Amino acid sequence: MGQGASMQLIPELLNARPSASAPVFAATIGAHGIYSTNQFVLRLSPLIHQTLSSLQPGIGTNSKIGLDGAQAMSTYLHETIHWWQHIGSTYGFIFGLNYPVQAHATFNDLKTIIAGDGFKKSVIEQGERLSARGPTGWGTLAGTTNMIVNNHFDLEVFRLFTYSPKVAQTLAENPRFEAVGHAVYMTYGHTIGVLASSVDERFNALPDFRLWKDGFDELRKAKREGYYYGSPIGLWPLGSYEIFEGQARFSQIQYLSHACGHNLDWSSYASLGMLNGVYVSAFQHFLELTESEWPERVDDPLVSLFLLVCDLAINPGSGFPVSVAPNFASFIEDVNPGARFTFFCRFIAKDYPAMKGAIRLHSREEYAELTSELAYASKDFPPLLLSELCTKWFSSNGPLAHLRGEYEAYQFDPKNYVIRHLFAHFLAFQEDRFKAPEFFCWPGAHMAGANLSDRSSYLFDKHGALFVDKEDDDSVFPRMQDGRSEEIIDDVFQNFYAGNVTYDLVRQWINEPGPFKYDLSWLKANSSKDEQCEFMRRQFKSAFGVDPNDAEILMP
């Protein structure tokens, strides 16, 4: 095994267990680390919590925190990267907002249905009954229920299509599926619409999605593949699931390599299952597409190039933060991480083979040069250009300066509270990403070894997950933040999850037959069923003016 033979890595401190069937990126006993996209919480196993709590604050090398500490920190980094992927990349932000946007985008129509036909569950069944007995056109109650269900489904299609090819294969079997391009367009339209109604009603910053309709209508009329009903579903060999897990795992390995003085070789990680399945899938595709062999050393520049390609793949600019126009026809590929990953790898193999050995310092200059070359070659937006644009929006004199004020005070306007909160954190992340893209692309190389600095510790802490669990309690808690009082942070936590639990009830209301289910054990593990029920009912009634227990249950 080489120089690392005497080092004993511990599986319980290293591996998480992801799930391909749900947006959970695998505290809990069964998985050593998890980031849940619907719950917006990072969880660690009791052993990880215990090991981290024994360390001095900050981050450091193996010589300072010990091998066990380095392993635990690497898992914490792995799951923090999943948080960064969702709060700090342009694709991940759209993907992560999918769940709340499903509720916000249907809010007014749901209230219309209540007023016109009563509060009934599920909306799917209510719509079928309305359609059977009356008119179904635009503006009718039946038409409104159909629009609610279709909009909800379109957002789900985007999520599934871009997430993993294995999941995407099932889409064509659903009778509500129209076309991938339609779902992608609707997802971006609804998401930007919700963001605009929350903080930018005049579209002073955000692209105006209302101007895109004619462009996508033309593609549908012209029978452009991907944009008309019945069009084939073009699948790529991997999706965001594989890219997210590959990026997190190889960043984790890169951190351990730097923390342990590069004394661990590939066999050390392979023997622990760290290079199995989804964790290594994207890297294997990268090697094949770039016509490369598996590198001999863990610290080979090829590993750093893989992480840069992952970064590019999940940071499209089309649709958000810049307009789709005039590139409507390529929109599906432009925003799909799997397609982007494939294209960039092919460009490296064909035109830029020297990039395979180019990353030596993990510097901003290397990041800027390589991402710009690959972006311009594929007629794409360089990620630093996108971060700079978002930074200008969020500046003290920019069009979203009011949101910056809310972020700095950490007191958010109640209108669309969750959306405002997440958008502010996205913009703050982009601001630091523009200043230090090298840290977020190669965090493992900057959190240990020669590149370790106070700036690394500051950025890691500033952009840590907002909500976490504890060693002895699987409930959700707000993470304390420097410069912000416990009282203010707790208030944000209460307001955030008051909105979040309503999203779950809206999803049930639209899709699921039978009575509402009230389960908040994931949020407050020690609360009673009665307490959970009362809290969820109260939040739902505050939003919609009706008690979920009063819904008329329509059975299929």
Side-chain angles (χ1 to χ4, degrees):
M1 195 177 75
Q3 297 179 15
S6 62
M7 293 187 176
Q8 298 297 314
L9 296 178
I10 302 174
E12 289 76 17
L13 292 172
L14 292 171
N15 286 316
R17 298 178 184 176
S19 168
S21 61
V24 176
F25 295 84
T28 65
I29 300 298
H32 309 305
I34 287 175
Y35 177 73
S36 169
T37 59
N38 286 359
Q39 298 171 2
F40 300 94
V41 59
L42 186 154
R43 299 183 184 274
L44 298 171
S45 73
L47 178 59
I48 300 291
H49 275 297
Q50 185 179 8
T51 305
L52 291 174
S53 66
S54 67
L55 305 178
Q56 293 294 320
I59 53 182
T61 63
N62 176 28
S63 61
K64 293 181 180 179
I65 63 178
L67 183 57
D68 287 359
Q71 292 175 82
M73 180 60 74
S74 78
T75 298
Y76 185 27
L77 170 62
H78 181 116
E79 299 308 328
T80 298
I81 287 171
H82 286 319
W83 161 244
W84 291 350
Q85 288 162 344
H86 291 85
I87 201 63
S89 74
T90 54
Y91 162 81
F93 185 59
I94 298 294
F95 182 93
L97 284 184
N98 191 281
Y99 179 56
V101 166
Q102 282 180 318
H104 283 278
T106 56
F107 178 80
N108 290 329
D109 289 332
L110 286 167
K111 296 194 76 169
T112 297
I113 294 301
I114 293 174
D117 190 52
F119 180 30
K120 302 175 182 180
K121 182 179 182 295
S122 69
V123 174
I124 290 177
E125 182 64 24
Q126 185 176 15
E128 291 179 355
R129 297 190 183 195
L130 285 168
S131 297
R133 69 172 189 256
T136 60
W138 179 266
T140 66
L141 289 174
T144 302
T145 58
N146 187 58
M147 185 163 57
I148 290 169
V149 175
N150 283 341
N151 287 341
H152 197 270
F153 179 70
D154 285 334
L155 285 155
E156 196 74 13
V157 168
F158 170 80
R159 193 183 190 99
L160 297 177
F161 172 72
T162 60
Y163 183 60
S164 181
K166 292 181 181 179
V167 179
Q169 288 174 340
T170 64
L171 292 176
E173 302 169 5
N174 192 305
R176 290 192 177 274
F177 176 71
E178 180 172 336
V180 168
H182 173 77
V184 175
Y185 161 47
M186 295 302 291
T187 294
Y188 271 76
H190 284 309
T191 303
I192 292 173
V194 169
L195 289 171
S197 67
S198 303
V199 299
D200 187 25
E201 292 183 349
R202 296 185 178 181
F203 294 92
N204 292 322
L206 293 163
D208 192 341
F209 70 95
R210 298 169 298 182
L211 304 178
W212 302 346
K213 184 178 183 300
D214 290 346
F216 287 108
D217 282 348
E218 287 299 319
L219 292 176
R220 186 180 66 255
K221 293 174 184 177
K223 294 285 186 178
R224 184 66 176 252
E225 184 171 323
Y227 293 93
Y228 65 92
Y229 180 78
S231 177
I233 301 177
L235 299 179
W236 296 87
L238 76 170
S240 61
Y241 174 52
E242 293 82 5
I243 295 169
F244 280 169
E245 287 296 357
Q247 184 182 37
R249 174 48 52 87
F250 278 79
S251 293
Q252 178 185 10
I253 289 173
Q254 190 174 69
Y255 167 79
L256 282 170
S257 179
H258 281 265
C260 298
H262 306 297
N263 286 323
L264 294 168
D265 58 20
W266 290 114
S267 64
S268 304
Y269 303 105
S271 65
L272 295 165
M274 294 183 72
L275 296 174
N276 290 344
V278 68
Y279 295 118
V280 75
S281 177
F283 189 64
Q284 290 172 330
H285 283 296
F286 167 79
L287 295 177
E288 179 182 352
L289 291 167
T290 60
E291 301 174 6
S292 305
E293 299 294 327
W294 191 285
E296 292 185 7
R297 294 180 56 86
V298 177
D299 60 334
D300 191 285
L302 197 61
V303 175
S304 298
L305 182 61
F306 165 70
L307 293 174
L308 181 136
V309 170
C310 290
D311 183 284
L312 276 166
I314 63 175
N315 279 290
S318 184
F320 176 80
V322 298
S323 179
V324 176
N327 301 313
F328 297 104
S330 61
F331 190 44
I332 297 174
E333 291 78 20
D334 287 344
V335 301
N336 184 355
R340 294 172 58 81
F341 184 94
T342 302
F343 291 151
F344 289 127
C345 288
R346 288 174 177 169
F347 275 115
I348 291 169
K350 181 182 178 182
D351 299 321
Y352 302 102
M355 285 187 180
K356 298 178 186 181
I359 302 170
R360 301 286 179 176
L361 303 175
H362 302 98
S363 65
R364 188 183 195 279
E365 290 73 22
E366 288 174 336
Y367 179 89
E369 179 181 353
L370 297 183
T371 54
S372 294
E373 285 189 28
L374 288 172
Y376 286 129
S378 60
K379 298 180 181 179
D380 196 37
F381 300 96
L384 282 181
L385 182 66
L386 303 177
S387 294
E388 184 179 23
L389 174 61
C390 292
T391 298
K392 290 178 178 177
W393 290 354
F394 202 48
S395 66
S396 57
N397 58 355
L400 300 182
H402 59 292
L403 187 60
R404 184 186 190 89
E406 293 178 26
Y407 172 79
E408 291 178 342
Y410 221 51
Q411 294 178 312
F412 296 92
D413 190 282
K415 181 182 179 181
N416 295 356
Y417 189 93
V418 172
I419 300 295
R420 303 177 80 91
H421 185 245
L422 293 174
F423 195 22
H425 279 278
F426 168 82
L427 293 170
F429 192 102
Q430 291 298 319
E431 185 175 58
D432 282 332
R433 175 179 159 83
F434 179 65
K435 297 174 184 175
E438 70 278 13
F439 172 79
F440 296 105
C441 184
W442 304 297
H446 287 274
M447 289 175 57
N451 290 327
L452 177 62
S453 65
D454 290 341
R455 185 192 68 167
S456 299
S457 298
Y458 168 76
L459 291 173
F460 186 74
D461 181 69
K462 178 180 178 181
H463 296 290
L466 301 176
F467 309 114
V468 297
D469 65 354
K470 292 184 177 180
E471 176 184 344
D472 57 352
D473 194 333
D474 208 32
S475 301
V476 179
F477 300 89
R479 182 182 61 85
M480 293 299 105
Q481 303 174 41
D482 288 343
R484 289 171 175 161
S485 71
E486 183 174 345
E487 181 181 5
I488 286 179
I489 290 176
D490 186 66
D491 185 60
V492 167
F493 170 75
Q494 299 295 336
N495 287 321
F496 186 93
Y497 280 106
N500 183 269
V501 299
T502 303
Y503 301 150
D504 177 55
L505 292 176
V506 170
R507 180 189 289 267
Q508 292 184 46
W509 180 11
I510 294 172
N511 287 335
E512 298 181 8
F516 284 98
K517 302 178 182 68
Y518 306 107
D519 182 9
L520 282 181
S521 57
W522 61 269
L523 180 61
K524 194 172 183 181
N526 298 322
S527 62
S528 69
K529 290 294 183 183
D530 288 343
E531 288 175 323
Q532 295 174 27
C533 176
E534 176 60 27
F535 179 72
M536 295 183 76
R537 288 172 60 193
R538 184 169 64 250
Q539 301 310 320
F540 187 91
K541 189 173 182 178
S542 176
F544 290 97
V546 291
D547 188 326
N549 274 5
D550 294 337
E552 179 183 346
I553 305 303
L554 305 176
M555 300 307 294

